[in-house]
Amino acid sequence: MIRKLALLVAVTTLFSSTFSFKLEQPFEAVSLEDRAELAGMTAEEFVLISSVVEAESDRTTESTEGRRYIALCILCRVMDTRFPDTITGVLTQRGQFSTVRNGHSVTNRTDLSDLAVIEAVEWIESGEEYPWVLFFNCRGYNYGTPYGDGAIGGNYFMTLEPSVEVENER
């Protein structure tokens, strides 16, 4: 599902301070198709995941960190055998992402959410350690589960151990 990012030539620094990838043009000018290719997804998958990331994020901040964690959660679910094995399957799973209606997000995507999706894929493919995030919830609604001490971008994130099959692949 997720393949190596196609890194391009000159550097751009838009919203992110944590990850940087190389582009031939400013991020705002990169087409939807090229953004989807950077993430190793179809344009349809990319629009859906980015729109959900935007809808589920705290849109009062200009940070991509919270958005990146939401994208990471979705991608970890795709890789984990306890969830559907496609982005669309994860996002349309009954009772999960309330911002998805009839297979579409209730919010439009933004450059910040697009960037966060690409960065989450880059994080996974970088070989660096990343948290196995499978759940998140907005402030104050942790339902007694261990969502951690602090919110990231307006959400609390819960990590679990990967399923056995995924652990062997990591």
Side-chain angles (χ1 to χ4, degrees), residues 15 19 23 30-31 34 42-43 46 54-55 73 78 87 89-90 102 115 120 132 137 146 156 158 161 164-165:
F15 307 104
F19 294 93
L23 298 171
V30 176
S31 71
D34 288 341
T42 66
F46 188 78
E54 185 64 23
C73 176
V78 170
I87 291 169
V90 165
N102 301 318
L115 183 63
W132 196 254
N137 215 323
Y156 289 91
M158 181 178 172
E161 289 298 314
V164 175
E165 293 84 354

Side-chain angles (χ1 to χ4, degrees), residues 101-167:
R101 305 274 194 282
N102 301 318
H104 300 285
S105 177
V106 298
T107 304
N108 292 325
R109 54 184 250 283
T110 65
D111 283 345
L112 285 172
S113 56
D114 284 3
L115 183 63
V117 171
I118 294 167
E119 288 178 345
V121 170
E122 184 179 68
W123 194 4
I124 290 169
E125 292 186 346
S126 72
E128 294 179 29
E129 286 292 317
Y130 57 91
W132 196 254
V133 179
L134 291 179
F135 301 97
F136 68 94
N137 215 323
C138 57
R139 291 177 198 238
Y141 296 99
N142 66 11
Y143 303 112
T145 55
Y147 275 76
D149 295 329
I152 301 170
N155 287 301
Y156 289 91
F157 294 86
M158 181 178 172
T159 60
L160 294 175
E161 289 298 314
S163 61
V164 175
E165 293 84 354
V166 173
E167 182 64 33

Side-chain angles (χ1 to χ4, degrees), residues 53-66:
V53 165
E54 185 64 23
E56 298 282 356
S57 70
D58 176 3
R59 294 183 302 244
T60 63
T61 177
E62 292 296 314
S63 167
T64 60
E65 184 181 20

